[in-house]
Every structure is written in C-alpha cells, then in structure tokens.
Amino acid sequence: MIKLQVKQIVILPILVGLMISMGINGYLMVQGQDAYVNLFMNFYSNRPVSEIPDYATPILVCAGALQLAALLLLLAALVRREFLSEAKNTCLKWSLLLEASAIAGYGFLLRMVSNHAGAANLFFFLGLVYLVLWVVEKRANNQTHNTVFEKVKLLPIILTMCYTMGQPGWNKLFNTSEVMGNYVRMFQESFLASLPGGIPPFIYLLGVCEVAVPLLMLMSLVRREFLPLQNRTFLSWAMLVSMTTFIMLAFGLSVLVNYPGATNLIFYAIISLGLWLYMNPLEEK
C-alpha cells in the first residue's frame, strides 16, 4: 500500500478547480451560440460590448476545444497519479499548457473589444496557471529540454504580452483622434496638465513603450528565444519594458486617486515579473 503525504496531494484541490473551469467554460464555448458568445465577451465589462467582431466565435470555439482537451488530459493525469512528486507528469504539463493557450486566446478577444477588466482578469489567470505549471515541473524533477512541450511552452506568454501591450499602444499612437481627448479630459485637473506640452507627450511616450513590446517579442521570435537553453535577451527586454510601462500607468492612475485601477496595474507588473522568472529561472543564472 502506497503511503501518501500531504505534500504529495496538496496540489489536488487546484487541479479539481481547474477541471471544473475547463469543463464548464469549454462546454459552453464550443457551442458557439450567440448568447454564450455575448456572455463571454461581456464578462467584467462595465458597459456592454457594442460590436462583437466576426472572428470572436471561431476563436471562442477553439478556446473551448482547448479547454476540453486540457480536461481530458487532466483526467488522464489524475488516473496516472501524476500529481505525485515522483510521477512522470507529461499529461499534467500538457493539460496546463493547453489551458494557458485557451486563456491567451480568450484574453485576445477581450483585449480587442477593449474589455479591459476582463482582459486583466485573464492576464492574472494566465500567470497563475504558469505558477501551477512551474510547481508541477519542480515537483517531478524530470524535465528534459529536447521535447515538443519545452519548445512551445512559452508561446502563450509571448502572444499574451504582444496583444496586452500592442493594442493599447497602437491606439495611443495611430488612433489618436479617438483616444487622446479622453486622456486629456481625464488628467486635465492633475499636475500633468501643467507640464510642457500638457498630456499628449505623456500619452505618446506610453504608446511608444507599449508598441515596443510586440516589436521586441517579434525579434525574440526571429531569434527563436522561446526554445530551451537560448539566450533570451530580447524576450527579457520586452518583459522589462512591459513592467516599467505598467508602473508608469499605475503612476498616472495614482495621480487621479484611482486606487483600484493603479493596484490592478501593479498586479500586471508583478505577474509579468513572475512570467519572466518562469522563462529565466534564477538557478540558471
């Protein structure tokens, strides 16, 4: 009879919670019904999404299919007792990676329709799923670098960082006529309005920083820095610029005494730091 210790099964409640999320959300998403599409696109939104893009339904269906596949793999992992620290954990790792991929796809949709609260929640969710994945990898201690999993596991992070920073940056630089007025009105009573040039230079600076992130990520992809044992210089610079930009945005909202919004942006920066640490484990330095 195998004697189980608490440290071997402590991850089980998290896995059960992920199974519930994968099963319910995946089942609803794959149906592609308009009612469910509207439901998922409007979660967390302060106002109803006025126009849902045509590509929303196929992406939601794909995200749902990924979650159902992740659920099946997670069930297989539980049957194989991969939650044990000494167990081979192939199914468990792939399950978490597919869940992260589904979150990245769903987050892309919410970011594109400017559902900022929903996109933030999914960004944090992605970071926490990678935390669980990191725990799983550390517990098993059987990681090899020459596997498909190791070669693709960073791609959801790269995708998420690209649209998280790229979409608002694009709006600040190339959709100025629609967004600049809102920013000027937002900060018109703050000391920022009295700076040389007023509010626009500050907004343009943020836009440049945000657009720089997907450009750095693109260079990182060209250099194949997502592969194991690669020097991740551009990837690390992209994460650093992201964290710095989140703090600048948090400063702006702090000036407006918007505590919830500023705190959310600090969360963004901390989760980004965690994702960078996952990509660049300290023990490898």
Side-chain angles (χ1 to χ4, degrees), residues 140-161:
N141 196 29
N142 58 9
Q143 180 175 335
T144 59
H145 296 293
N146 193 29
T147 64
V148 175
F149 175 84
E150 292 295 328
K151 293 176 181 178
V152 302
K153 69 178 185 178
L154 301 186
L155 294 181
I157 298 176
I158 294 173
L159 171 63
T160 300
M161 296 306 303

Side-chain angles (χ1 to χ4, degrees), residues 4-276:
L4 296 178
Q5 299 179 7
V6 171
K7 66 179 182 180
Q8 293 177 295
I9 61 174
V10 70
I11 199 174
L12 273 177
I14 306 300
L15 299 181
V16 171
L18 286 172
M19 287 174 58
I20 294 171
S21 174
M22 293 170 182
I24 295 176
N25 294 329
Y27 172 75
L28 296 178
M29 285 180 175
V30 295
Q31 296 186 47
Q33 296 181 10
D34 290 343
Y36 292 136
V37 172
N38 277 278
L39 184 67
F40 278 98
M41 295 299 289
N42 280 284
F43 279 137
Y44 301 99
S45 184
N46 293 325
R47 57 188 179 204
V49 176
S50 58
E51 186 175 347
I52 297 177
D54 294 335
Y55 55 77
T57 299
I59 291 180
L60 269 182
V61 170
C62 289
L66 286 174
Q67 293 197 74
L68 293 180
L71 173 61
L72 294 177
L73 283 172
L74 187 48
L75 288 171
L78 293 178
V79 171
R80 288 157 51 97
R81 295 191 298 183
E82 293 186 8
F83 54 88
L84 300 178
S85 59
E86 70 274 10
K88 186 177 180 180
N89 55 13
T90 303
C91 291
L92 185 50
K93 291 192 300 185
W94 274 105
S95 173
L96 293 170
L97 183 58
L98 290 181
E99 174 68 357
S101 301
I103 294 169
Y106 180 25
F108 168 79
L109 291 179
L110 296 191
R111 177 61 63 181
M112 290 303 104
V113 297
S114 297
N115 184 344
H116 301 300
N121 182 273
L122 290 172
F123 186 92
F124 305 151
F125 191 13
L126 180 84
L128 295 176
V129 168
Y130 270 98
L131 172 62
V132 177
L133 180 55
W134 176 78
V135 170
V136 167
E137 291 176 329
K138 290 295 183 182
R139 282 161 58 95
N141 196 29
N142 58 9
Q143 180 175 335
T144 59
H145 296 293
N146 193 29
T147 64
V148 175
F149 175 84
E150 292 295 328
K151 293 176 181 178
V152 302
K153 69 178 185 178
L154 301 186
L155 294 181
I157 298 176
I158 294 173
L159 171 63
T160 300
M161 296 306 303
C162 282
Y163 66 69
T164 297
M165 304 303 292
Q167 190 263 358
W170 178 273
N171 283 336
K172 290 181 179 70
L173 294 181
F174 303 107
N175 196 19
T176 311
S177 60
E178 292 189 19
V179 303
M180 187 61 73
N182 293 331
Y183 288 120
V184 171
R185 285 189 292 274
M186 185 184 302
F187 291 98
Q188 63 184 354
E189 300 298 329
S190 72
F191 78 92
L192 294 175
S194 62
L195 295 177
I199 304 302
F202 182 66
I203 301 304
Y204 286 129
L205 173 62
L206 288 172
V208 169
C209 292
E210 289 169 336
V211 169
V213 172
L215 293 178
L216 287 168
M217 287 292 186
L218 179 60
M219 288 186 281
S220 172
L221 287 173
V222 172
R223 289 165 51 92
R224 303 199 299 173
E225 292 183 355
F226 59 91
L227 295 177
L229 305 179
Q230 294 293 312
N231 187 325
R232 291 169 177 158
T233 303
F234 284 99
L235 197 51
S236 293
W237 273 108
M239 299 303 289
L240 176 60
V241 173
S242 296
M243 287 182 273
T244 303
T245 306
F246 287 137
I247 298 305
M248 292 169 64
L249 290 165
F251 167 75
L253 291 187
S254 296
V255 168
L256 299 178
V257 198
N258 184 342
Y259 180 81
T263 304
N264 240 27
L265 288 162
I266 299 295
F267 290 163
Y268 264 114
I270 294 173
I271 293 294
S272 297
L273 174 63
L275 292 172
W276 178 82

